[in-house]
Amino acid sequence: MAPRTPTRERAGRARTAPAAAPADATPEAAEGSREPDRAVPRTGHVRGRLTELRIRGLGAIDDVTLELGRGLTVVTGETGAGKTMVVTGLTLLFGGRADPGRVRATGRAGVEGRLELPPDSPVWTRAADAGAEPDDDGSLILARTVSAEGRSRAHLGGRSVPVGVVAELSEGLLAVHGQSDQLRLSRPAEQRSALDRYAGAAHLQLLETYRAAYARWRELAADLDRRRGQARELAQAAEVLRHGLEEIEALAPEPGEDEALDAQAKRLGDADALRAAVDEARIALVGDVTGDLGAEGLPQDATAALATAERALAGTDDPALVLLARDLADAVAVVSDVSVQLAGYVADLDADPARLAEVLDRRAAITALVRKYADPGEGLAGVLAWAEDARGKLSALDVSDEALEALAAARDTARAEVDDLGTRISAGRRAAADGFAAEVGAELAGLAMKSARVSFSIDSHPDQPGPDGIDEVALLMAAHPGAPPRPVHRGASGGELSRVMLAIEVVFAGADPVPVMVFDEVDAGVGGQAAGEIGRRLARLARDHQVVVVTHLAQVAAFADTHLVVDKSPDTAAGVTATDIRAVDGEDRVRELARMLSGLTDSDTGQAHARELLAVAAAAREG
């Protein structure tokens, strides 16, 4: 059954609300930040975003629909209320592993989302390949269901698809960063890719040139190995192709000749009957003007009859009859023209039996070629296509000494190009590594990791080029002074790893093509000024991405464009705990921030502190 489309009329929905900005916000309130923001203007480029998310039967959530805004969305709530289920739902929606243990007692969990994508997004091409279609408003609907037994189904654009298709799309749509979702950062290939992106557009263009050269070198090397290892078999195959080409070229058929021969054979075989039909038609139209047709005593011909009628009408003075007389005159001209063409047809009509035999013989020879070299129904066009394909294959089957020497030379030339490009790319990576590590380190300093040091290990293997160069790249981190640098996914805790990922994303703000970023408690284990710095960086990312953050820190939540609160309440009728998600702004948002700060929603001190945080965040965002 096709998934239901998310609607705007369902219970449990959370309305989008803009971040509150108190009127008394001043730039001075933002003083004291650890370091100034780098100027990263809003680009206005639309990568795409998730506009709506519906979660049913997942964890503590019964049925809620979230309307997600642009920019930074934060999700807050009491511990155990189900905040992480929002991240779980997003991960599930975009092809993540289905955990039947998360399914509520109803026996089935479901997540549905509405994506707003630009027309040139590559996602549309892949979705169309899977049979998906846009919704009426031009958005793309995704859905995923999971049963308590672990069975999972995915739908894309109203069409049931393998979960792997959605997972493939997610690579260009969603990046989840959390204490258990650091796969991207732990992959050496991702670390190398990040360094290449940092090195700039010219470096990336050089890398594309290298990849093309590498592919060409590998193709030439494989072709040479194939020819040397299968010389006998290839020579035999080439002989078969050459024999076929010689047979076709000896007959030298022309495109469309088979159809022309069919028509010609029919005319030659039916020449007497055709001549009789033409003579009868000519007598009826113009009579036997030469006396050669034996038409004496036949009724008056059509031309004479039409001429008589035309003269009779033209002799009157009635305007209507005069007009009809002109039409008859035109008819006389048409009949005369047809008779002339018939005379020419008879003159060209060849009844030569020898010519007919010649045509039939050639047609038979072409038919024999069609049987041998064309697929059923292709006719002579199939023969000509086979010949063209055979000529192309012959060059790849040549195992002569000259051909092998030329191929070996081409392979060596391609390898030399690979070596040169690989060396230049390696130099570019080494030149960019220090700057990249320094910028990431500067970001980490503001994220409660002041003592952490990051660096790159670049191990080059010129004799073993790969599809992405000659380097093995690893991002290393020393968590504190004196600690040895270790691969970042081994040298950092879960919370630290999330912050390293955040620092990298901030360095690349505006350049990452992934439109939606999700951070799950990236602020774990920090507080105070560092928490504010995390909020500032997330807000900076949200200038060019849709960012969703699960947080327990008011200093982070104050920077949100949209603030969602997860509430937990017992469902006495069902005997379970239910979760609702609502958007807050104005005084409701102040009270939620006060709760996060002091645990008391109505505390005057807490509310005053909350308003101050909102003012600081508003000033920082405008600065």
Side-chain angles (χ1 to χ4, degrees), residues 46 116-125:
V46 180
E116 180 182 280
L117 298 168
D120 60 350
S121 171
V123 174
W124 284 120
T125 301

Side-chain angles (χ1 to χ4, degrees), residues 113-353:
R114 183 186 297 272
L115 275 170
E116 180 182 280
L117 298 168
D120 60 350
S121 171
V123 174
W124 284 120
T125 301
R126 185 64 184 92
D129 291 342
E133 295 183 355
D135 201 28
D136 292 341
D137 61 356
S139 61
L140 182 64
I141 305 299
L142 291 84
R144 181 90 179 273
T145 58
V146 181
S147 69
E149 294 78 24
R151 291 190 297 272
S152 172
R153 296 182 64 187
H155 289 81
L156 180 66
R159 181 67 61 89
S160 179
V161 297
V163 174
V165 172
V166 179
E168 178 186 338
L169 290 179
S170 73
E171 294 181 3
L173 290 173
L174 180 77
V176 178
H177 308 301
Q179 296 186 46
S180 60
D181 295 284
Q182 299 303 328
L183 293 179
R184 287 180 68 202
L185 193 58
S186 66
R187 296 172 185 154
E190 286 291 337
Q191 296 169 8
R192 182 182 59 232
S193 177
L195 181 58
D196 287 333
R197 285 168 49 213
Y198 181 85
H203 176 86
L204 290 174
Q205 183 59 50
L206 185 66
L207 181 58
E208 287 303 311
T209 303
Y210 169 89
R211 287 169 175 158
Y214 176 84
R216 185 166 57 254
W217 166 60
R218 294 302 304 159
E219 181 180 355
L220 290 170
D223 190 16
L224 182 60
D225 291 342
R226 179 182 63 89
R227 295 196 199 191
R228 285 175 172 171
Q230 303 175 21
R232 181 178 178 181
E233 295 87 343
L234 295 178
Q236 292 174 345
E239 183 60 29
V240 171
L241 293 179
R242 275 193 290 269
H243 174 75
L245 282 174
E246 289 172 359
E247 188 176 3
I248 294 171
E249 289 170 356
L251 192 61
E254 296 292 334
E257 186 179 355
D258 51 346
E259 296 177 357
L261 288 172
D262 287 341
Q264 193 172 4
K266 184 173 179 58
R267 284 186 62 188
L268 289 169
D270 297 341
D272 292 339
L274 293 174
R275 186 186 302 275
V278 170
D279 289 346
E280 183 178 353
R282 289 176 62 203
I283 291 172
L285 293 177
V286 297
D288 188 0
V289 295
T290 63
D292 296 333
L293 301 178
E296 294 83 355
L298 292 178
Q300 187 179 21
D301 59 84
T303 304
L306 289 171
T308 300
E310 185 267 335
R311 287 193 298 272
L313 297 179
T316 69
D317 57 1
D318 185 285
L321 296 180
V322 170
L323 289 176
L324 292 175
R326 293 176 183 173
D327 291 341
L328 288 174
D330 292 339
V332 170
V334 170
V335 170
S336 299
D337 182 60
V338 170
S339 67
V340 170
Q341 293 184 50
L342 289 175
Y345 180 88
V346 170
D348 294 337
L349 195 59
D350 189 356
D352 183 2

Side-chain angles (χ1 to χ4, degrees), residues 345-403:
Y345 180 88
V346 170
D348 294 337
L349 195 59
D350 189 356
D352 183 2
R355 174 57 184 160
L356 176 60
E358 181 183 335
V359 169
L360 292 176
D361 287 344
R362 184 163 180 80
R363 187 174 68 171
I366 289 178
T367 300
L369 291 181
V370 169
R371 291 196 186 102
K372 291 180 67 174
Y373 300 108
D375 290 333
E378 289 186 346
L380 179 58
V383 175
L384 297 176
W386 184 92
E388 185 67 23
D389 184 60
R391 294 186 188 96
K393 288 180 177 178
L394 272 178
S395 62
L397 297 175
D398 191 350
V399 292
S400 65
D401 292 341
E402 296 80 3

Side-chain angles (χ1 to χ4, degrees), residues 454-523:
V454 295
S455 60
F456 276 99
S457 168
I458 302 177
D459 190 8
S460 300
H461 303 277
D463 296 333
Q464 301 175 11
D468 294 300
I470 62 175
D471 303 317
E472 291 182 5
V473 177
L475 180 61
L476 309 178
M477 188 183 81
H480 52 81
R486 300 181 60 193
V488 67
H489 60 286
R490 297 177 183 173
S493 65
E496 289 173 335
L497 196 56
S498 294
R499 277 172 269 163
V500 172
M501 192 71 248
L502 173 60
I504 291 175
E505 295 293 357
V506 171
V507 169
F508 285 121
D512 197 323
V514 178
V516 184
M517 294 182 175
V518 181
F519 293 88
D520 186 10
E521 297 196 1
V522 70
D523 48 20

